[in-house]
Protein backbone atom coordinates (compact mmCIF):
# COMPACT_ATOMS: atom_id res chain seq x y z
CA UNK A 1 0.00 0.00 0.00
CA UNK A 2 1.46 3.36 -1.08
CA UNK A 3 1.06 6.43 1.09
CA UNK A 4 1.06 10.04 -0.02
CA UNK A 5 0.00 13.40 1.34
CA UNK A 6 -2.62 15.66 -0.23
CA UNK A 7 -2.62 19.26 0.98
CA UNK A 8 -5.62 21.59 1.02
CA UNK A 9 -5.84 24.93 2.78
CA UNK A 10 -3.31 24.11 5.47
CA UNK A 11 -4.45 20.52 6.09
CA UNK A 12 -2.23 17.57 5.15
CA UNK A 13 -4.39 14.52 4.39
CA UNK A 14 -2.76 11.11 4.78
CA UNK A 15 -3.86 9.05 1.75
CA UNK A 16 -3.38 5.34 1.09
CA UNK A 17 -3.58 3.60 -2.30
CA UNK A 18 -3.51 -0.06 -3.27
CA UNK A 19 -4.44 -2.13 -6.30
CA UNK A 20 -5.27 -1.26 -9.90
CA UNK A 21 -8.54 -0.97 -11.77
CA UNK A 22 -11.85 0.74 -11.04
CA UNK A 23 -11.24 3.56 -8.52
CA UNK A 24 -12.96 3.07 -5.17
CA UNK A 25 -12.65 5.70 -2.43
CA UNK A 26 -13.34 4.66 1.17
CA UNK A 27 -14.43 7.28 3.71
CA UNK A 28 -14.46 6.51 7.43
CA UNK A 29 -16.66 7.70 10.25
CA UNK A 30 -16.17 10.20 13.06
CA UNK A 31 -13.33 9.18 15.48
CA UNK A 32 -12.19 6.42 13.09
CA UNK A 33 -9.35 6.24 10.55
CA UNK A 34 -8.99 4.95 7.01
CA UNK A 35 -8.70 1.38 8.35
CA UNK A 36 -12.28 1.33 9.57
CA UNK A 37 -14.38 1.07 6.43
CA UNK A 38 -13.61 -2.44 5.16
CA UNK A 39 -11.77 -3.31 8.38
CA UNK A 40 -8.47 -4.17 6.75
CA UNK A 41 -9.92 -6.46 4.08
CA UNK A 42 -7.81 -6.67 0.90
CA UNK A 43 -10.62 -8.15 -1.18
CA UNK A 44 -11.22 -5.02 -3.26
CA UNK A 45 -7.65 -4.53 -4.46
CA UNK A 46 -7.38 -8.27 -5.14
CA UNK A 47 -10.48 -8.16 -7.34
CA UNK A 48 -9.43 -5.44 -9.77
CA UNK A 49 -10.03 -2.19 -7.93
CA UNK A 50 -7.83 0.80 -7.22
CA UNK A 51 -8.60 1.41 -3.57
CA UNK A 52 -8.04 4.86 -2.08
CA UNK A 53 -8.60 5.57 1.58
CA UNK A 54 -7.56 8.50 3.70
CA UNK A 55 -7.71 9.86 7.22
CA UNK A 56 -10.19 12.72 7.46
CA UNK A 57 -8.85 16.06 8.62
CA UNK A 58 -7.67 15.88 12.22
CA UNK A 59 -8.02 12.09 12.29
CA UNK A 60 -5.32 9.44 12.20
CA UNK A 61 -2.18 10.83 10.56
CA UNK A 62 -3.91 13.77 8.89
CA UNK A 63 -3.21 17.15 10.43
CA UNK A 64 -5.72 19.37 12.22
CA UNK A 65 -7.67 22.13 10.53
CA UNK A 66 -6.10 25.58 11.11
CA UNK A 67 -9.51 26.73 12.35
CA UNK A 68 -10.88 24.56 15.16
CA UNK A 69 -14.36 24.93 13.70
CA UNK A 70 -13.42 23.76 10.20
CA UNK A 71 -14.66 20.18 10.41
CA UNK A 72 -18.08 20.55 8.81
CA UNK A 73 -19.29 18.79 5.68
CA UNK A 74 -18.32 21.68 3.41
CA UNK A 75 -14.70 21.13 4.45
CA UNK A 76 -14.92 17.33 4.47
CA UNK A 77 -16.51 17.32 1.02
CA UNK A 78 -13.91 19.72 -0.37
CA UNK A 79 -11.19 17.44 1.04
CA UNK A 80 -12.70 14.53 -0.90
CA UNK A 81 -12.62 16.56 -4.10
CA UNK A 82 -8.99 17.51 -3.39
CA UNK A 83 -8.04 13.85 -3.00
CA UNK A 84 -9.74 12.92 -6.28
CA UNK A 85 -8.04 15.81 -8.08
CA UNK A 86 -4.60 15.10 -6.64
CA UNK A 87 -4.79 11.46 -7.73
CA UNK A 88 -6.11 12.32 -11.19
CA UNK A 89 -9.42 10.52 -10.66
CA UNK A 90 -12.35 11.91 -12.62
CA UNK A 91 -14.97 9.49 -11.26
CA UNK A 92 -14.89 6.93 -8.49
CA UNK A 93 -17.16 4.58 -6.62
CA UNK A 94 -17.57 6.18 -3.19
CA UNK A 95 -18.14 4.06 -0.09
CA UNK A 96 -18.41 5.67 3.32
CA UNK A 97 -19.56 4.92 6.84
CA UNK A 98 -21.57 7.40 8.92
CA UNK A 99 -19.63 10.70 8.59
CA UNK A 100 -18.06 9.25 5.45
CA UNK A 101 -21.49 8.34 4.08
CA UNK A 102 -22.73 11.87 4.64
CA UNK A 103 -19.58 13.27 2.99
CA UNK A 104 -20.04 11.24 -0.18
CA UNK A 105 -23.68 12.31 -0.38
CA UNK A 106 -22.56 15.93 -0.05
CA UNK A 107 -20.41 15.36 -3.15
CA UNK A 108 -23.00 13.36 -5.07
CA UNK A 109 -25.52 16.18 -4.69
CA UNK A 110 -23.10 18.94 -5.71
CA UNK A 111 -20.79 17.25 -8.23
CA UNK A 112 -22.50 14.05 -9.38
CA UNK A 113 -20.11 13.73 -12.31
CA UNK A 114 -17.34 12.79 -9.83
CA UNK A 115 -19.22 9.76 -8.49
CA UNK A 116 -19.66 6.49 -10.39
CA UNK A 117 -21.65 4.76 -7.66
CA UNK A 118 -22.42 5.06 -3.95
CA UNK A 119 -22.29 2.74 -0.95
CA UNK A 120 -23.93 4.55 1.96
CA UNK A 121 -23.00 2.65 5.13
CA UNK A 122 -24.93 3.19 8.38
CA UNK A 123 -26.00 6.81 7.85
CA UNK A 124 -26.63 8.69 11.09
CA UNK A 125 -27.57 12.19 9.95
CA UNK A 126 -31.25 12.81 10.63
CA UNK A 127 -32.23 16.26 9.34
CA UNK A 128 -35.24 16.38 11.65
CA UNK A 129 -33.21 15.83 14.82
CA UNK A 130 -29.95 17.52 14.00
CA UNK A 131 -30.48 20.38 16.43
CA UNK A 132 -31.68 18.22 19.33
CA UNK A 133 -30.07 19.67 22.45
CA UNK A 134 -29.75 16.36 24.31
CA UNK A 135 -28.08 14.74 21.32
CA UNK A 136 -25.58 17.58 20.93
CA UNK A 137 -24.84 17.61 24.66
CA UNK A 138 -23.82 13.96 24.46
CA UNK A 139 -21.43 14.66 21.59
CA UNK A 140 -19.97 17.58 23.54
CA UNK A 141 -19.49 15.32 26.58
CA UNK A 142 -17.62 12.79 24.43
CA UNK A 143 -15.44 15.59 23.05
CA UNK A 144 -14.68 16.91 26.54
CA UNK A 145 -13.96 13.43 27.83
CA UNK A 146 -11.51 12.67 25.04
CA UNK A 147 -9.82 16.08 25.16
CA UNK A 148 -9.37 16.08 28.93
CA UNK A 149 -9.03 12.39 29.71
CA UNK A 150 -7.90 10.65 26.54
CA UNK A 151 -9.32 7.25 25.66
CA UNK A 152 -10.40 6.53 29.22
CA UNK A 153 -12.11 9.91 29.46
CA UNK A 154 -14.01 9.20 26.26
CA UNK A 155 -15.09 5.77 27.52
CA UNK A 156 -16.23 7.26 30.82
CA UNK A 157 -18.40 9.74 28.94
CA UNK A 158 -19.61 7.03 26.57
CA UNK A 159 -20.83 4.77 29.36
CA UNK A 160 -21.92 1.19 29.01
CA UNK A 161 -22.57 0.32 25.35
CA UNK A 162 -26.29 -0.07 24.69
CA UNK A 163 -25.87 -3.33 22.80
CA UNK A 164 -26.45 -6.98 23.76
CA UNK A 165 -24.00 -8.38 26.30
CA UNK A 166 -22.07 -10.57 23.79
CA UNK A 167 -21.14 -7.46 21.75
CA UNK A 168 -20.29 -5.06 24.57
CA UNK A 169 -16.67 -6.16 24.86
CA UNK A 170 -16.20 -5.86 21.10
CA UNK A 171 -17.61 -2.33 21.06
CA UNK A 172 -15.29 -1.17 23.85
CA UNK A 173 -12.30 -2.88 22.22
CA UNK A 174 -12.96 -1.20 18.88
CA UNK A 175 -13.42 2.21 20.54
CA UNK A 176 -10.04 1.81 22.27
CA UNK A 177 -8.36 0.76 19.02
CA UNK A 178 -9.87 3.58 16.98
CA UNK A 179 -9.08 6.33 19.45
CA UNK A 180 -5.50 5.19 20.00
CA UNK A 181 -4.64 5.73 16.31
CA UNK A 182 -4.94 9.52 16.28
CA UNK A 183 -1.82 11.68 16.24
CA UNK A 184 -3.84 14.80 17.13
CA UNK A 185 -6.44 13.90 19.78
CA UNK A 186 -7.48 17.50 20.38
CA UNK A 187 -8.41 17.79 16.71
CA UNK A 188 -10.64 14.74 17.00
CA UNK A 189 -12.29 16.41 19.99
CA UNK A 190 -12.90 19.49 17.84
CA UNK A 191 -14.45 17.29 15.15
CA UNK A 192 -16.67 15.65 17.77
CA UNK A 193 -18.14 19.07 18.51
CA UNK A 194 -18.48 20.28 14.92
CA UNK A 195 -19.51 17.31 12.76
CA UNK A 196 -22.73 16.50 14.66
CA UNK A 197 -23.87 20.10 14.16
CA UNK A 198 -23.07 20.16 10.44
CA UNK A 199 -25.53 19.37 7.66
CA UNK A 200 -24.40 17.55 4.50
CA UNK A 201 -27.76 18.41 2.94
CA UNK A 202 -31.00 19.97 4.10
CA UNK A 203 -33.74 17.34 3.89
CA UNK A 204 -33.88 13.67 2.92
CA UNK A 205 -36.04 14.65 -0.05
CA UNK A 206 -32.97 16.19 -1.66
CA UNK A 207 -31.57 12.69 -2.18
CA UNK A 208 -34.19 12.19 -4.89
CA UNK A 209 -31.86 14.17 -7.13
CA UNK A 210 -29.25 11.40 -7.12
CA UNK A 211 -29.19 9.20 -10.23
CA UNK A 212 -26.35 6.79 -9.50
CA UNK A 213 -26.00 3.11 -8.69
CA UNK A 214 -26.43 3.04 -4.93
CA UNK A 215 -26.65 0.67 -1.99
CA UNK A 216 -27.53 1.64 1.58
CA UNK A 217 -26.09 -0.64 4.26
CA UNK A 218 -28.16 -0.44 7.45
CA UNK A 219 -27.55 -2.02 10.85
CA UNK A 220 -30.19 -3.44 13.15
CA UNK A 221 -30.79 -1.33 16.23
CA UNK A 222 -29.83 -3.94 18.80
CA UNK A 223 -26.22 -3.89 17.57
CA UNK A 224 -25.86 -0.28 16.46
CA UNK A 225 -28.48 2.00 18.04
CA UNK A 226 -26.49 5.10 17.06
CA UNK A 227 -27.34 4.46 13.40
CA UNK A 228 -31.05 3.59 13.46
CA UNK A 229 -32.21 1.01 10.95
CA UNK A 230 -35.26 3.11 10.16
CA UNK A 231 -32.96 5.96 9.11
CA UNK A 232 -31.07 3.68 6.74
CA UNK A 233 -34.41 2.59 5.32
CA UNK A 234 -35.38 6.23 4.83
CA UNK A 235 -32.16 6.96 2.94
CA UNK A 236 -32.72 3.95 0.68
CA UNK A 237 -36.28 5.06 0.00
CA UNK A 238 -35.16 8.60 -0.79
CA UNK A 239 -32.40 7.67 -3.29
CA UNK A 240 -34.01 6.52 -6.55
CA UNK A 241 -33.26 2.88 -7.27
CA UNK A 242 -31.12 2.40 -4.16
CA UNK A 243 -30.94 -1.10 -2.71
CA UNK A 244 -31.18 -1.59 1.07
CA UNK A 245 -29.25 -4.39 2.74
CA UNK A 246 -28.67 -5.36 6.37
CA UNK A 247 -27.51 -8.35 8.36
CA UNK A 248 -29.92 -11.07 9.43
CA UNK A 249 -31.43 -10.79 12.93
CA UNK A 250 -28.95 -11.85 15.61
CA UNK A 251 -25.90 -11.52 13.35
CA UNK A 252 -23.15 -8.96 13.85
CA UNK A 253 -23.66 -5.87 11.67
CA UNK A 254 -22.75 -6.16 8.02
CA UNK A 255 -20.90 -2.85 8.46
CA UNK A 256 -18.46 -4.64 10.79
CA UNK A 257 -17.70 -7.40 8.26
CA UNK A 258 -15.03 -6.10 5.91
CA UNK A 259 -14.96 -8.96 3.42
CA UNK A 260 -18.75 -9.01 2.99
CA UNK A 261 -18.85 -5.24 2.75
CA UNK A 262 -16.13 -5.37 0.10
CA UNK A 263 -18.34 -7.65 -2.00
CA UNK A 264 -21.16 -5.12 -1.76
CA UNK A 265 -18.83 -2.32 -2.88
CA UNK A 266 -17.49 -4.45 -5.74
CA UNK A 267 -21.07 -5.12 -6.85
CA UNK A 268 -21.81 -1.40 -7.04
CA UNK A 269 -18.58 -0.87 -9.00
CA UNK A 270 -19.59 -3.59 -11.47
CA UNK A 271 -23.05 -2.07 -11.84
CA UNK A 272 -21.54 1.37 -12.46
CA UNK A 273 -19.12 -0.02 -15.04
CA UNK A 274 -21.86 -1.86 -16.93
CA UNK A 275 -24.13 0.94 -17.19
Amino acid sequence: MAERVVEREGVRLSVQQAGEGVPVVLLHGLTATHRYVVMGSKALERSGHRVISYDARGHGRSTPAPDRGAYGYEQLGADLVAVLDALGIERAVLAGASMGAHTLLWLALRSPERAAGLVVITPGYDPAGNEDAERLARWDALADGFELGGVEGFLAAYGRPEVPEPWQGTVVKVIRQRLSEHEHPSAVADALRVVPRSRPFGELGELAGISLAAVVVASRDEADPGHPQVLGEAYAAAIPGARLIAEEPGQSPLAWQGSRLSKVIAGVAAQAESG
Side-chain angles (χ1 to χ4, degrees):
M1 181 172 285
E3 181 179 6
R4 65 172 291 176
V5 171
V6 172
E7 296 192 34
R8 190 185 80 81
E9 295 185 354
V11 175
R12 293 169 57 85
L13 300 169
S14 177
V15 182
Q16 309 285 334
Q17 289 191 84
E20 297 180 355
V22 179
V24 174
V25 180
L26 307 177
L27 299 100
H28 66 77
L30 183 58
T31 77
T33 69
H34 72 276
R35 304 176 189 274
Y36 291 93
V37 182
V38 294
M39 312 304 171
S41 172
K42 307 297 182 185
L44 282 169
E45 53 255 46
R46 291 172 180 164
S47 59
H49 302 86
R50 178 187 177 189
V51 181
I52 299 96
S53 59
Y54 64 96
D55 294 334
R57 54 176 50 212
H59 291 66
R61 299 179 63 172
S62 293
T63 61
D67 176 352
R68 295 186 65 181
Y71 291 94
Y73 286 109
E74 290 288 333
Q75 290 82 17
L76 294 169
D79 288 346
L80 172 56
V81 173
V83 169
L84 292 172
D85 289 346
L87 300 183
I89 298 172
E90 290 296 322
R91 298 173 74 239
V93 174
L94 307 176
S98 194
M99 179 183 80
H102 312 148
T103 302
L104 68 83
L105 289 170
W106 180 95
L107 180 65
L109 288 167
R110 289 160 179 79
S111 300
E113 72 281 359
R114 306 305 299 270
L118 309 175
V119 182
V120 180
I121 306 164
T122 58
Y125 166 64
D126 181 355
N130 204 58
E131 308 301 326
D132 181 77
E134 184 176 348
R135 168 185 170 273
L136 295 175
R138 174 163 173 76
W139 283 111
D140 289 345
L142 293 172
D144 292 343
F146 191 44
E147 188 167 43
L148 299 174
V151 175
E152 296 307 317
F154 182 97
L155 286 169
Y158 191 87
R160 184 177 180 178
E162 296 180 358
V163 299
E165 183 70 33
W167 292 331
Q168 288 183 6
T170 298
V171 170
V172 172
K173 179 181 178 180
V174 170
I175 290 173
R176 288 186 187 278
Q177 290 174 339
R178 284 165 58 138
L179 293 179
S180 67
E181 295 189 10
H182 300 297
E183 294 186 358
H184 307 279
S186 62
V188 177
D190 290 339
L192 278 164
R193 297 183 182 99
V194 175
V195 173
R197 290 175 164 83
S198 184
R199 289 180 175 268
F201 50 86
E203 302 295 336
L204 287 179
E206 295 176 27
L207 301 181
I210 294 174
S211 56
L212 295 163
V215 168
V216 176
V217 179
S219 290
R220 297 186 182 275
D221 293 347
E222 60 267 24
D224 188 6
H227 300 93
Q229 182 177 355
V230 67
L231 188 59
E233 293 170 350
Y235 273 64
I239 300 171
R243 183 164 60 98
L244 175 72
I245 59 174
E247 70 277 0
E248 294 298 320
Q251 293 185 348
S252 63
L254 179 58
W256 298 0
Q257 302 177 50
S259 60
R260 289 188 63 192
L261 198 55
S262 295
K263 291 180 181 178
V264 172
I265 297 169
V268 171
Q271 183 181 351
E273 284 293 291
S274 66

